[in-house]
């Protein structure tokens, strides 16, 4: 795994005036820009969030000993898989084209035989209406969620949700970290893993949430 680190959200304080919080259950590796020597700055965030999710799924399947789970796929293998599935044309391989929540769902099923639920929110007002669905997902499955959008096209990993007296917050793992040397403390201090209020998201963007339907051990 090189210098990948695990569970970067641990010991991060909950938002102030917290009433109810639910987080992922289980361990993952934090995948981000440049983490494996591939220069994906500016286009690879969706792939990195997918890889983080895959690392969580692989850990769960290894624990359950259901079958020998494949390794976390590289960006190249992800692109080849999407071509093989018929979702992309051949020119997609080796390109710098982005992927979003739908492609993440396709790949989770392709590599790990796990289906995903897509929650489509036309705006943050609709996202507010799905707060209970997000809470229930973490309670029932405990798996990380991929969030993508259009105006807000930066991929996000969602590792938890917190209802507070001041509003609802999502625990966001940002894959755009462009360095090699890192620590839990640096990532938390610099905001690469942080609680963000839903109302602070882009009000002009839709959001798709990809929720892998595999229960944590």
């Amino acid at each position: 795994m090189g210098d990948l680190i695990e569970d970067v959200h641990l010991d991060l304080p909950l938002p102030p005036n917290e009433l109810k919080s639910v987080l992922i259950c289980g361990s993952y590796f934090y995948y981000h820009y440049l983490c494996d020597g591939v220069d994906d700055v500016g286009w690879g965030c969706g792939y990195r969030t997918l890889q983080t999710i895959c690392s969580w799924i692989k850990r769960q399947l290894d624990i359950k000993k259901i079958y020998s789970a494949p390794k976390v796929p590289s960006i190249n293998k992800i692109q080849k898989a999407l071509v093989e599935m018929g979702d992309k044309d051949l020119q997609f391989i080796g390109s710098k084209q982005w992927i979003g929540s739908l492609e993440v769902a396709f790949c989770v099923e392709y590599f790990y035989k796990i289906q995903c639920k897509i929650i489509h929110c036309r705006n943050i007002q609709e996202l507010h209406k799905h707060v209970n669905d997000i809470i229930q997902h973490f309670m029932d499955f405990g798996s990380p969620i991929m969030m993508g959008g259009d105006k807000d096209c930066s991929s996000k990993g969602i590792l938890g949700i917190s209802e507070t007296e001041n509003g609802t917050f999502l625990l966001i793992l940002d894959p755009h970290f462009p360095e090699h040397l890192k620590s839990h403390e640096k990532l938390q201090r610099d905001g690469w893993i942080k609680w963000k209020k839903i109302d602070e998201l882009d009000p002009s963007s839709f959001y798709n949430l990809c929720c892998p339907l595999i229960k944590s051990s």
Side-chain angles (χ1 to χ4, degrees):
M1 289 297 175
D3 63 350
L4 293 176
I5 60 175
E6 295 181 273
D7 306 335
V8 299
H9 70 291
L10 293 182
D11 300 321
L12 184 70
L14 293 171
N17 304 311
E18 179 257 356
L19 300 171
K20 178 181 181 180
S21 300
V22 190
L23 279 67
I24 67 165
C25 181
S27 292
Y28 59 90
F29 283 102
Y30 173 46
Y31 282 80
H32 56 86
Y33 281 167
L34 305 173
C35 66
D36 55 5
V38 175
D39 184 355
D40 57 322
V41 173
W43 58 273
C45 58
Y47 299 91
R48 299 310 188 180
T49 298
L50 169 58
Q51 289 175 321
T52 295
I53 291 173
C54 289
S55 72
W56 185 94
I57 291 173
K58 176 172 171 51
R59 181 73 60 89
Q60 294 300 316
L61 293 174
D62 288 345
I63 291 171
K64 296 172 188 290
K65 297 181 179 179
I66 297 175
Y67 66 92
S68 180
K71 294 179 180 179
V72 174
S74 65
I75 289 177
N76 183 257
K77 286 186 177 180
I78 292 167
Q79 291 183 334
K80 287 181 177 178
L82 287 166
V83 171
E84 185 173 321
M85 283 182 264
D87 182 67
K88 306 293 182 187
D89 59 31
L90 191 60
Q91 288 70 34
F92 181 67
I93 299 173
S95 73
K96 297 181 179 180
Q97 292 185 40
W98 299 4
I99 63 170
S101 296
L102 292 177
E103 289 94 340
V104 167
F106 296 154
C107 287
V108 167
E109 184 167 5
Y110 178 90
F111 288 107
Y112 296 100
K113 303 180 178 68
I114 303 295
Q115 292 188 330
C116 297
K117 175 182 178 180
I118 297 291
I119 300 175
H120 176 66
C121 306
R122 290 179 294 178
N123 47 49
I124 58 175
Q125 286 72 35
E126 284 198 0
L127 184 56
H128 275 293
K129 294 178 181 178
H130 285 285
V131 163
N132 287 336
D133 294 324
I134 298 170
I135 291 172
Q136 200 61 49
H137 170 80
F138 284 118
M139 292 179 64
D140 290 346
F141 297 98
S143 58
I145 294 172
M146 154 74 173
M147 175 187 275
D150 59 345
K151 296 294 192 299
D152 178 2
C153 56
S154 296
S155 162
K156 301 167 182 63
I158 308 300
L159 305 186
I161 186 167
S162 180
E163 294 185 295
T164 78
E165 294 177 2
N166 306 314
T168 303
F169 291 73
L170 298 175
L171 180 56
I172 293 178
L173 181 63
D174 187 341
H176 298 83
F177 182 75
E179 302 172 26
H180 294 286
L181 297 176
K182 54 192 174 292
S183 66
H184 287 70
E185 294 77 17
K186 175 177 175 58
L187 294 169
Q188 293 182 11
R189 182 180 64 250
D190 294 349
W192 299 103
I193 174 73
K194 67 179 180 180
W195 289 100
K196 184 167 185 173
K197 196 173 183 179
I198 286 179
D199 290 335
E200 295 175 352
L201 295 169
D202 189 332
S204 65
S205 183
F206 76 68
Y207 289 98
N208 283 329
L209 279 66
C210 174
C211 308
L213 303 181
I214 168 177
K215 293 187 177 182
S216 60
S217 300

